[in-house]
Amino acid sequence: MRKNNYGRIVHVSSRMGSLANMTSSSPAYRVSKAALNALTRVLADEVAQDNILVNSASPGVAATRMNYGGKAVSPEEAAQGMIWLATAPDDGPRGEFFEGRSIVPW
């Protein structure tokens, strides 16, 4: 990506990794996603001059086997925010955490 002076990196995260909403359930998962969001910020800063955008995205609750039948969006709908980040223009967001096109506080 640096060689081509272009790139888009989208880390797949979860709202459970938001420090703003941290609770005691699933601590290992939550901490690993919070660490991924921190890595997103660090890496985004490291490659800022190389036209490489780095962001984290939560797909939300998607209708997959992992959801166990709960309320969810389709996998296609869940992917839309990540596709938006993966195809962002050069002045797109850097080092942010999204669900869909909305920034998630963390």
Side-chain angles (χ1 to χ4, degrees):
M1 289 182 181
R2 281 184 164 157
K3 179 180 175 184
N4 293 316
N5 197 42
Y6 180 86
R8 304 294 180 263
I9 298 171
V10 181
H11 292 145
V12 179
S13 190
S14 167
R15 277 188 173 267
M16 291 177 72
S18 169
L19 296 175
N21 299 310
M22 197 64 66
T23 64
S24 62
S25 67
S26 305
Y29 183 78
R30 289 178 181 278
V31 169
S32 70
K33 293 302 184 179
L36 178 64
N37 294 339
L39 175 65
T40 298
R41 288 263 172 106
V42 170
L43 185 57
D45 185 63
E46 183 177 321
V47 298
Q49 301 304 312
D50 299 311
N51 194 29
I52 300 170
L53 305 182
V54 184
N55 291 285
S56 291
S58 170
V61 180
T64 65
R65 289 182 288 189
M66 288 180 61
N67 186 27
Y68 306 109
K71 182 181 175 189
V73 298
S74 72
E76 293 80 11
E77 291 170 308
Q80 289 305 305
M82 289 178 268
I83 292 169
W84 170 68
L85 289 170
T87 58
D90 292 348
D91 64 347
R94 296 175 187 272
E96 298 292 346
F97 178 26
F98 289 89
E99 186 170 309
R101 292 187 182 199
S102 299
I103 292 179
V104 176
W106 72 276

